[in-house]
Amino acid sequence: MDHSPGTDSCAELRAQVRELTAEWRDTGRYVPRSDSWLRSFDLEFSKELAARGLVAMTYPKEFGGAERTNVERLAVTEELLRAGAPVAAHWIGDRQIGPAVLRHGTRELREEIVPRIASGEAVFCLGMSEPEAGSDLASVRTKAERVEGGWLINGHKIWTTQAHHATHAYLLARTSREERKHDGLSEFILDMDAEGVQVTPIVDLAGEHHFNEVRFENVFVPAHRVIGEVGKGWKQVVEQLSFERGGAERSLSSYPVFVELIAEAARQRDDRELHALLGSLVARLAVLRRLCFEVASAMDAGQAPVQQAAALKYLGNAFEHDVIEALRRTDLCQDLAFDSTFGQALLASPAFSLRGGAAEVLLSLIARQEARS
Amino acid sequence: MSRFADELRSLVDDLAASGRPDLWGSLCDLGLPRVGIEEERGGSGGSLDDLLVVVESLAGHGIGVPVVEASTADWVLSHARRLDGELTTVLLLDRAPGTASGVITAELTAVPWARDAARLVLCAPGAAPLLVDLRHPSVTVRDVDNIAGEPRDTVTLTDTPVIVLDGAPSHEVVRERLALVWSAAVLGAARGAYRLTKTYVSEREQFGAPLLKIPAVSGNLARIRVQLVQADAALALASEAATLSGAVEIARITTAAAATEIAQIAHQLHGAMGITDEYPLHRLTRRLWSWRDAVASERRWAESLGRRAAEAGESGVWTRITATGR
Ligand SMILES: Cc1cc2nc3c(=O)[nH]c(=O)nc-3n(C[C@H](O)[C@H](O)[C@H](O)COP(=O)(O)OP(=O)(O)OC[C@H]3O[C@@H](n4cnc5c(N)ncnc54)[C@H](O)[C@@H]3O)c2cc1C
């Protein structure tokens, strides 16, 4: 089956995003920055995108979506990242939670949650990581116990991006103790304003507050808020991670620096070294885009390309780092002002190859696949 | 992607496994070097993608045959309706040689397979390609091998008659095609090195278990895989995206970078075994080192891509790499 949408529709979508971001930027409603998908939070902008059908693009129309392909969605997310637009408010819900609920949620859950992601009302944070369970996600300890009409949650999550703005949390919790730690895990959606949820800021090395600790003390979650099958959450999480890892945001976090690098190479006409460096980065970016396209196409074909997404994230994060290092070949790196493009990107950079799965862990995931194949 | 990829691959695999002494003769009998040339022009039909599959598969076996040169030279000749049964090789020049009154005098270095070839196609910028009869008495060939042990001879022409190949593709077009076919060859050899390495670390035991059980070893194997993923994507991009200018440069840069990393890791994971003459790894890695910079170096491709990117500016670069919708 051919899932590829016409080039025209992608070009049209790109033009639409360019027009919107230019308007917001030129009227000073946002300042482009590196890492905007994690750091630049603007609910109004997300709602504006939603109103134009640029959020929830792949979701069914009956749940507020636009029934477009992942390839078309990719065109939109790429343009948003390129523009350094403030997209953090809807990014996680749109990318990951909507598709997960659509795949595995009950009808009731879909009706409740998905349209609110599509309209930009529901803002999601991801409750996966725990202090004792970073890369070893399956060792989460947060507990969900069955009670009358639902579940009672107790536990502690960490590094939860945008929890302080979120209306909803996705939560990975243990619903039973099994011999294999991958069994007995379940996925939930809970309201951030529920009684017993406590959010504490964690300030990062740049002095910014975007991630948090979240504690759950006897938080009640109604029964229908389980995503998929109780106790079989692991398989779903792994699938979901291909949505989390396989997007353009894993290559374009430092794109604003790349923009400066191109301009500098144009000024330094005789610097052949710099041109060669730029050329090899352009080549890598073009190939990364191709890989994003392949992952999006696989998703359109109904697959969850776990390994491919891991390889893409690994390569993309290396590119993001190398773009920043490349700028040090020029005098632009002298501008280390706190809100300079270079300074901001550099301070954000240690996170690139950690969040969403550390580089070493992605490599070992690929290695395990090698051992099996 | 080639529709006949699987068939072509198994055909090449069978030939490689047969251990025939005259493998090149068999390949020619089957018309494989003329895949990608229209039948009306004397070729075997099929697309350029099909040819890339043939080249990649052959390279994966570490087989040294003049397939890149012959297939490109024949393709040039086919446009001038001058195909015949003899081995023709090809050389790109940076500058047009003087060809007053239909003869040429020049010393050409690193001419691939000159000692075996009957004819040579010479391509220089701004002029139609030329055809030289390498068996003409005015031609001398001195044997020189590259580090892979493949012929890269020195050819001296003294008032040697040449034929102008009217109707043949320009220097730039031939250069692009040659670069793309070399990219496929590099990818093939890289894949071959990966396969050998994977087998080796799965079978060789140390500390009571296969090497692959050691995390540092499996992590390095994964790094090879990641390089292959990139090189595959680059080649897919170049062979599909006719509209993406620079796609061939991208393929060349990406496969060259992959070749470098893969050759290094493959030797590391093989330990001392990989540097013996007896073990086949060097047939692949020596080719990776020779081929990654063939036609022009990775550095040169990168420089020209970078210069054009700087001229185009961010929006030019972005528009170009997103032009295909991909
Ligand atoms: C900016 C940012 C935002 C984040 N947002 C969220 C969020 O919203 N929600 C959420 O749930 N999580 C979030 N995270 C957490 C993130 O996903 C984790 O940081 C990540 O999974 C790694 O866990 P860790 O930091 O505890 O490192 P650890 O697991 O403690 O690992 C430390 C180091 O050891 C290496 N290591 C660990 N195990 C292995 C192994 N088996 N083999 C080889 N090397 C290994 C790792 O690669 C790493 O380099 C965020 C992180 C960052 C930096």
Side-chain angles (χ1 to χ4, degrees):
Chain A
M1 209 184 344
D2 184 12
H3 287 275
S4 56
T7 312
D8 289 354
S9 70
C10 286
E12 218 176 278
L13 286 164
R14 286 181 191 281
Q16 219 181 319
V17 177
R18 283 175 202 171
E19 196 185 320
L20 179 67
T21 50
E23 185 193 312
W24 275 59
R25 192 177 48 229
D26 296 346
T27 53
R29 295 175 78 180
Y30 87 92
V31 178
R33 62 168 297 173
S34 280
D35 222 18
S36 68
W37 62 275
L38 191 124
R39 287 158 190 268
S40 290
F41 190 99
D42 186 337
L43 194 55
E44 237 185 286
F45 184 76
S46 291
K47 284 190 172 160
E48 169 113 30
L49 286 174
R52 294 171 184 231
L54 300 175
V55 174
M57 288 180 63
T58 60
Y59 305 0
K61 289 201 168 124
E62 64 165 322
F63 299 114
E67 283 182 21
R68 288 186 179 256
T69 63
N70 281 288
V71 169
E72 288 171 311
R73 178 176 179 274
L74 176 62
V76 168
T77 54
E78 279 184 339
E79 291 297 331
L80 288 168
L81 294 164
R82 174 196 180 205
V87 290
H90 72 276
W91 201 262
I92 290 170
D94 174 59
R95 166 181 83 188
Q96 192 163 352
I97 305 306
V101 173
L102 282 167
R103 265 171 177 246
H104 300 291
T106 58
R107 172 103 211 159
E108 188 185 3
L109 189 61
R110 278 187 250 164
E111 280 173 359
E112 181 187 1
I113 297 296
V114 180
R116 292 162 79 182
I117 294 177
S119 64
E121 278 166 82
V123 175
F124 266 88
C125 62
L126 291 179
M128 297 202 194
S129 300
E130 294 184 10
E132 305 301 324
S135 298
D136 185 12
L137 193 52
S139 65
V140 299
R141 290 181 183 172
T142 294
K143 250 192 336 203
E145 283 170 292
R146 231 184 254 275
V147 292
E148 172 82 41
W151 301 82
L152 214 53
I153 314 282
N154 278 287
H156 181 186
K157 294 287 173 180
I158 195 168
W159 317 127
T160 323
T161 302
Q162 303 297 355
H164 53 307
H165 288 307
T167 57
H168 295 76
Y170 157 92
L171 186 82
L172 182 64
R174 193 158 288 288
T175 36
S176 60
R177 285 236 152 259
E178 307 284 339
E179 215 155 278
R180 284 184 67 245
K181 64 182 176 182
H182 295 90
D183 295 331
L185 291 168
S186 307
E187 300 183 290
F188 297 88
I189 286 180
L190 52 82
D191 293 328
M192 287 301 281
D193 61 7
E195 207 172 316
V197 178
Q198 191 202 332
V199 178
T200 320
I202 302 175
V203 176
D204 77 0
L205 80 177
E208 290 184 30
H209 169 207
H210 50 83
F211 53 34
N212 305 272
E213 282 191 58
V214 186
R215 286 173 198 275
F216 303 96
E217 207 181 316
N218 292 326
V219 179
F220 176 74
V221 182
H224 77 275
R225 287 287 193 84
V226 176
I227 309 176
E229 220 180 312
V230 173
K232 300 271 183 266
W234 184 252
K235 191 168 170 284
Q236 294 169 206
V237 178
V238 168
E239 251 180 47
Q240 217 196 89
L241 288 174
S242 56
F243 286 93
E244 176 165 353
R245 291 172 178 161
E249 66 268 39
R250 302 303 182 178
S251 321
L252 297 176
S253 299
S254 59
Y255 193 79
V257 176
F258 190 58
V259 175
E260 292 206 341
L261 188 72
I262 296 173
E264 182 63 8
R267 284 188 290 270
Q268 306 301 331
R269 290 165 159 276
D270 302 324
D271 191 340
R272 298 176 56 187
E273 286 284 336
L274 185 59
H275 288 142
L277 184 58
L278 176 62
S280 63
L281 288 169
V282 168
R284 283 167 69 187
L285 180 60
V287 171
L288 285 166
R289 288 202 58 261
R290 168 74 193 195
L291 290 172
C292 282
F293 168 79
E294 286 176 5
V295 167
S297 303
M299 285 174 180
D300 283 331
Q303 298 156 3
V306 178
Q307 265 74 31
Q308 225 183 338
L312 171 56
K313 181 180 183 298
Y314 179 83
L315 288 165
N317 290 164
F319 172 79
E320 292 175 331
H321 278 287
D322 290 349
V323 163
I324 296 174
E325 281 307 306
L327 206 76
R328 291 186 51 230
R329 269 282 291 102
T330 74
D331 288 335
L332 296 181
C333 71
Q334 298 298 311
D335 183 10
L336 274 175
F338 190 77
D339 54 5
S340 62
T341 309
F342 179 66
Q344 279 188 344
L346 191 55
L347 290 173
S349 66
F352 299 166
S353 45
L354 289 174
R355 61 187 179 201
E360 296 79 2
V361 174
L362 297 173
L363 266 189
S364 70
L365 206 145
I366 298 163
R368 269 208 302 285
Q369 173 75 7
E370 292 297 298
R372 272 200 301 268
S373 68
Chain B
M1 260 295 269
S2 158
R3 279 192 296 139
F4 306 106
D6 292 342
E7 277 169 60
L8 287 167
R9 236 174 241 131
S10 64
L11 186 60
V12 171
D13 288 346
D14 289 348
L15 277 171
S18 71
R20 272 169 225 236
D22 183 22
L23 183 68
W24 178 244
S26 309
L27 289 168
C28 291
D29 289 346
L30 289 166
L32 288 176
R34 289 186 178 174
V35 166
I37 300 172
E38 292 157 39
E39 287 178 47
E40 307 85 79
R41 294 180 193 271
S44 306
S47 64
L48 175 58
D49 282 352
D50 299 329
L51 176 69
L52 298 181
V53 172
V54 171
V55 169
E56 192 200 312
S57 307
L58 278 169
H61 292 281
I63 291 171
V65 288
V67 66
V68 174
E69 295 83 359
S71 65
T72 308
D74 283 357
W75 173 75
V76 174
L77 290 176
S78 75
H79 285 84
R81 311 226 165 247
R82 282 189 176 271
L83 267 188
D84 68 15
E86 306 229 56
L87 175 62
T88 311
T89 188
V90 62
L91 186 72
L92 294 178
L93 298 174
D94 290 339
R95 234 176 310 118
T99 51
S101 61
V103 295
I104 160 175
T105 297
E107 187 177 82
L108 309 171
T109 53
V111 185
W113 307 92
R115 72 190 75 156
D116 302 306
R119 304 185 297 172
L120 166 67
V121 169
L122 266 183
C123 298
L130 304 173
L131 183 61
V132 180
D133 175 5
L134 290 176
R135 307 234 166 105
H136 192 270
S138 65
V139 177
T140 59
V141 175
R142 187 162 59 82
D143 292 2
V144 181
D145 287 352
N146 69 9
I147 60 164
E150 295 175 326
R152 295 291 184 271
D153 302 328
T154 301
V155 173
T156 311
L157 309 174
T158 314
D159 285 336
T160 305
V162 292
I163 295 167
V164 179
L165 294 172
D166 288 316
S170 71
H171 173 262
E172 289 70 35
V173 175
V174 179
R175 190 171 183 265
E176 282 241 317
R177 182 159 173 128
L178 209 45
L180 184 56
V181 180
W182 271 125
S183 299
V186 171
L187 173 59
R191 207 189 293 288
Y194 158 76
R195 281 195 295 253
L196 267 188
T197 307
K198 188 175 164 187
T199 307
Y200 186 78
V201 298
S202 308
E203 291 173 356
R204 163 105 176 140
E205 298 205 350
Q206 277 303 353
F207 307 108
L211 287 170
L212 189 55
K213 293 276 179 218
I214 301 172
V217 170
S218 62
N220 272 316
L221 190 67
R223 285 172 57 211
I224 300 189
R225 160 58 72 197
V226 156
Q227 288 297 324
L228 278 183
V229 165
Q230 228 172 345
D232 267 332
L235 219 69
L237 193 65
S239 61
E240 276 171 34
T243 52
L244 173 57
S245 95
V248 169
E249 280 159 314
I250 290 165
R252 205 73 186 99
I253 294 165
T254 309
T255 52
T260 306
E261 185 151 340
I262 291 174
Q264 197 270 328
I265 302 175
H267 273 294
Q268 187 65 23
L269 294 187
H270 270 91
M273 178 58 90
I275 53 180
T276 62
D277 178 55
E278 179 199 336
Y279 189 81
L281 182 64
H282 67 91
R283 281 190 224 140
L284 296 154
T285 54
R286 288 196 294 144
R287 294 203 161 87
L288 285 174
W289 292 321
S290 319
W291 296 352
R292 63 186 171 177
D293 292 323
V295 180
S297 65
E298 175 188 353
R299 158 73 203 236
R300 277 240 241 151
W301 295 112
E303 200 183 314
S304 78
L305 187 63
R307 184 160 356 87
R308 279 192 287 117
E311 279 159 13
E314 185 276 331
S315 111
V317 172
W318 183 263
T319 313
R320 236 174 257 176
I321 64 177
T322 56
T324 57
R326 301 178 173 187

